[in-house]
Amino acid sequence: MFNGKLLAMAIRSRRLQLNYTQEYIAYKLNMSQNAYSKLELGYTAVTIGRFVEICSALEVDVYDMLKPVLQVA
């Protein structure tokens, strides 16, 4: 089962690990800081394409970003 809130938390956690601001990542994704903030808070769903872009901006492999999110039943 996939949990979007966990994905949002994983994205935020990775950004903080890198000590990047929301403004910086939003700039790299060509979006506003407010829109990026909504992604991190889980208010806005992340498309697959946008997720790949986020992983690139956060310098992390897609699979590695998904590891803590996917739950094995």
Side-chain angles (χ1 to χ4, degrees):
M1 183 67 137
F2 176 78
N3 187 323
K5 292 281 187 184
L6 285 177
L7 178 61
M9 288 172 43
I11 290 170
R12 182 175 193 274
S13 176
R14 176 62 181 167
R15 179 182 59 79
L16 292 174
Q17 274 182 344
L18 295 171
N19 202 29
Y20 289 164
T21 64
Q22 285 186 344
E23 291 84 5
Y24 175 71
I25 298 300
Y27 170 78
K28 288 185 81 166
L29 297 172
N30 195 29
M31 64 191 309
S32 71
Q33 179 274 327
N34 189 43
Y36 178 76
S37 175
K38 289 179 181 178
L39 285 175
E40 271 195 8
L41 293 170
Y43 297 154
T44 304
V46 179
T47 64
I48 292 173
R50 180 62 82 180
F51 179 67
V52 171
E53 291 173 350
I54 290 169
C55 289
S56 177
L58 294 174
E59 304 163 15
V60 65
D61 183 70
V62 170
Y63 178 73
D64 289 336
M65 182 65 85
L66 286 174
K67 276 184 196 176
V69 178
L70 297 176
Q71 299 173 359
V72 179

